[in-house]
Amino acid sequence: MAGTILEPGQIEAAASKPPFLNLPPRELFILRAERLDKLALDHPLGDYLRLLAGVCRAQQQVLDNPPTLPALDAHRTRECLTHGLPPLAADTLVREDAWLAMLDAWLDAFGTPDNPAVAAALEQLRDADAGQRKAWAVALISGQYDSLPAALVPFLGAALQVAWTHQALSLDSTAVREREDQTHCPCCGALPMAGVIRHRGQLNGLRYLVCSLCSSEWHYVRLKCSHCRSTKKLDYLHFEGSPHGVKAEVCPSCNGYLKQLYLELAADGETLSADLATLDLDMLLAEQGFQRMAPNLLLAPGGEG
């Protein structure tokens, strides 16, 4: 069998090279739920964080016992991987029907809460036909928040997350082609929700961007804007003494920012929950004229965002 022969130095380099892509852990949503419950203690948004902890528990229930879904198109997946395109391209697959079963499964798992406003939003999702559901989902994934009721965002977003996370876990991470300056998720093409700075082993000090949809993580060099790729005069803003380990990487070139979770500062941190627990940082940055570039599918932004 023909092949490439590696010299000793190349073998050492290959062995020490950190992975480009990390797929989400199978217990992702229960870890988020536990972290949200912990963060809710004495937090001004405690009730909201506890609500979302319940949302995440229902996500985990569906991920552990998913409905029967049609298999991914093997030819399409293979062609996407061959050409360096996201095999779970959300802008395409969201217009198809497969993920709708995950929405119904999540609605069943979450049940009907006592809160009338939440119950009304869930009922609106249950009553909507497939066309309306897909139209709302297209709007949410593309960031067109004014095209769907704000009350639906965290619940529709939860169903989309569990659907795409389920599919991501079926991928071979080594088959996903690494590209330089990858600003969108290589698995599904969605924007990152935040960055995470690792602090252990061969990943120590490396930044991974965390997908807002399928929760996969991909390596992206530090000190570079993940939106416009600028490296000029980036600043890192945070509240002094914040227990959440979060700093915002602010870029003067595009006037945007992305939150970063530093695990050396919050070893038990998790990106989605850390993001939600630091909305006061978003408010401060908005007052200073900076624009959030990263969606959190469990949060409907205010204002014009």
Side-chain angles (χ1 to χ4, degrees):
M1 180 184 293
T4 301
I5 299 175
L6 296 177
E7 298 297 330
Q10 293 175 301
I11 294 173
E12 294 168 5
S16 62
K17 184 178 180 181
F20 166 63
L21 178 69
N22 296 319
L23 297 178
R26 291 193 174 273
E27 66 277 18
L28 168 70
F29 297 114
I30 194 62
L31 293 174
R32 282 182 175 172
E34 292 171 352
R35 185 62 179 158
L36 284 164
D37 275 335
K38 184 175 180 179
L39 291 170
L41 299 174
D42 299 322
H43 194 285
L45 297 176
D47 288 343
Y48 186 64
L49 298 181
R50 279 184 284 271
L51 170 66
L52 294 185
V55 166
C56 292
R57 285 190 172 85
Q59 287 177 303
Q60 188 68 53
Q61 185 174 332
V62 175
L63 187 65
D64 291 341
N65 298 283
T68 301
L69 300 176
L72 292 173
D73 186 320
H75 174 73
R76 179 163 60 184
T77 299
R78 186 169 55 252
E79 287 297 299
C80 286
L81 291 171
T82 298
H83 297 287
L85 300 173
L88 305 176
D91 55 353
T92 298
L93 295 182
V94 76
R95 291 174 166 83
E96 300 178 2
D97 290 336
W99 70 271
L100 295 174
M102 298 295 270
L103 172 57
D104 286 324
W106 182 86
L107 287 167
D108 289 343
F110 191 65
T112 303
D114 294 333
N115 185 303
V118 174
L122 296 174
E123 193 63 25
Q124 190 173 7
L125 272 177
R126 289 189 177 98
D127 291 345
D129 61 23
Q132 180 63 80
R133 289 173 163 190
K134 287 189 283 188
W136 283 336
V138 169
L140 179 54
I141 286 179
S142 61
Q144 302 300 315
Y145 290 93
D146 57 350
S147 296
L148 76 160
L152 303 187
V153 169
F155 312 117
L156 181 59
L160 290 167
Q161 283 182 341
V162 73
W164 262 261
T165 300
H166 168 75
Q167 298 289 18
L169 287 169
S170 71
L171 295 176
D172 175 6
S173 63
T174 63
V176 177
R177 182 180 300 179
E178 179 175 356
R179 285 170 41 197
E180 188 176 1
D181 284 347
Q182 182 94 39
T183 59
H184 289 63
C185 177
C187 292
C188 70
L191 286 168
M193 172 181 61
V196 58
I197 311 300
R198 296 291 174 183
H199 72 312
R200 291 177 179 166
Q202 69 173 155
L203 304 184
N204 183 42
L206 297 182
R207 171 167 71 170
Y208 282 80
L209 300 181
V210 183
C211 179
S212 57
L213 180 60
C214 75
S215 299
S216 298
E217 301 178 358
W218 67 100
H219 179 240
Y220 193 86
V221 297
R222 295 174 68 173
L223 305 178
K224 177 181 285 191
C225 176
S226 60
H227 180 68
C228 72
R229 303 183 178 93
S230 173
T231 59
K232 297 179 180 178
K233 299 181 179 180
L234 298 181
D235 199 2
Y236 295 83
L237 304 181
H238 65 286
F239 287 119
E240 193 68 32
S242 172
H244 307 301
V246 172
K247 300 180 182 179
E249 182 179 76
V250 177
C251 177
S253 297
C254 65
N255 212 43
Y257 69 91
L258 183 77
K259 288 182 183 175
Q260 316 285 335
L261 171 63
Y262 291 75
L263 292 180
E264 65 178 353
L265 301 177
D268 60 347
E270 186 280 321
T271 48
L272 181 140
S273 52
D275 179 28
L276 294 171
T278 55
L279 295 180
D280 51 350
L281 182 57
D282 293 278
M283 294 171 64
L284 177 63
L285 291 166
E287 290 173 1
Q288 296 181 5
F290 294 109
Q291 182 178 358
R292 179 179 171 125
M293 298 299 187
N296 185 322
L297 297 185
L298 301 192
L299 175 71
E304 298 177 357

